Amino acid sequence: EAQVTQNPRYLITVTGKKLTVTCSQNMNHEYMSWYRQDPGLGLRQIYYSMNVEVTDKGDVPEGYKVSRKEKRNFPLILESPSPNQTSLYFCASRSPVRVNEQFFGPGTRLTVL
Amino acid sequence: GENVEQHPSTLSVQEGDSAVIKCTYSDSASNYFPWYKQELGKRPQLIIDIRSNVGEKKDQRIAVTLNKTAKHFSLHITETQPEDSAVYFCAAQNYGGSQGNLIFGKGTKLSVKP
């Protein structure tokens, strides 16, 4: 089954404690991205990756890092989380070479105390 | 870069009525316009999309119209049902561009009252 998976689905942590949210897709998609969703602000892109070892900033990259060492994985790293990073995070993937549906992961609800 | 405005932010209709959500975009190079539906606690999922060479597309009770000159596109839901209640996002993309990022509107919360 074609899918995007994220882990963990829920996370409560404290300010400053480094964390990683994993994202994996099994559709051999070149393009992957991370969004955060906050009430009234919609889906804002954090980082995206056009392919392995190619990443770039989205609209709200401050406080986040990503890596793309393998095509299927695109982890989101918060080196020193702060309360303003409390949000719902979605990973997504699609093929950029033609018009195609963007598939979203199930979401990770992060709370930073 | 592209900017997508979506209105209204909330919409309440009676079951059986029609609902219309409107979006405008700024980049005339955008050529692909999908609509996503997000049910409570779930991920966004594609419900319909339209390319810039088409003015209208229909899928059962859902239709999307595109006016390239005015740079706006709309989602129309007819005969609404309670299960249509969700947040709807429009998006715009230049899929031939160097980045091809999907730019989303802020969403419309649709409530269908039985």
Side-chain angles (χ1 to χ4, degrees):
Chain A
E1 180 193 354
Q3 60 181 347
V4 180
T5 57
Q6 290 178 232
N7 281 292
R9 296 289 314 281
Y10 303 90
L11 180 60
I12 300 174
T13 189
V14 295
T15 298
K17 186 176 180 182
K18 181 180 178 179
L19 66 93
T20 299
V21 184
T22 64
C23 173
S24 184
Q25 50 93 7
N26 62 1
M27 295 168 279
N28 203 35
H29 286 162
E30 292 86 356
Y31 182 97
M32 298 184 74
S33 60
W34 277 102
Y35 296 87
R36 62 177 288 173
Q37 184 176 17
D38 303 288
L41 298 178
L43 292 157
R44 295 183 292 168
Q45 192 178 54
I46 302 170
Y47 269 93
Y48 65 95
S49 169
M50 298 290 284
N51 214 325
V52 175
E53 301 292 0
V54 180
T55 64
D56 209 344
K57 296 177 180 179
D59 297 322
V60 288
E62 294 78 20
Y64 304 94
K65 285 174 59 176
V66 293
S67 70
R68 188 89 183 274
K69 293 184 171 53
E70 306 164 280
K71 198 171 187 179
R72 62 183 293 126
N73 296 324
F74 190 44
L76 179 69
I77 303 153
L78 285 72
E79 293 270 4
S80 182
S82 62
N84 65 10
Q85 292 178 298
T86 292
S87 187
L88 178 60
Y89 291 86
F90 286 101
C91 180
S93 78
R94 62 180 167 85
S95 173
V97 297
R98 57 187 175 92
V99 173
N100 206 346
E101 178 177 353
Q102 176 158 288
F103 292 87
F104 285 87
T108 294
R109 186 164 292 282
L110 172 66
T111 301
V112 183
L113 303 174
Chain B
E2 175 65 276
N3 182 52
V4 177
E5 300 279 341
Q6 183 173 346
H7 298 280
S9 56
T10 60
L11 179 59
S12 182
V13 300
Q14 285 295 132
E15 182 176 0
D17 288 350
S18 294
V20 180
I21 302 170
K22 299 182 179 182
C23 289
T24 60
Y25 61 99
S26 60
D27 187 354
S28 56
S30 290
N31 48 25
Y32 175 62
F33 307 93
W35 286 86
Y36 283 78
K37 176 183 180 182
Q38 186 182 26
E39 297 176 350
L40 191 62
K42 302 274 183 72
R43 72 191 81 187
Q45 292 196 295
L46 181 73
I47 55 171
I48 194 167
D49 55 14
I50 191 167
R51 303 185 195 189
S52 59
N53 58 351
V54 175
E56 183 175 358
K57 185 176 178 181
K58 242 182 141 176
D59 183 3
Q60 299 182 338
R61 297 185 297 108
I62 294 173
V64 57
T65 58
L66 171 65
N67 183 326
K68 281 185 62 180
T69 304
K71 289 192 277 190
H72 66 69
F73 56 111
S74 300
L75 178 71
H76 305 252
I77 306 174
T78 58
E79 300 171 23
T80 53
Q81 301 167 3
E83 52 264 38
D84 294 328
S85 296
V87 177
Y88 292 82
F89 292 98
C90 64
Q93 178 191 6
N94 174 6
Y95 72 85
S98 60
Q99 296 175 356
N101 285 338
L102 265 177
I103 306 301
F104 286 88
K106 287 184 165 52
T108 297
K109 183 176 181 181
L110 174 64
S111 300
V112 180
K113 299 184 188 306

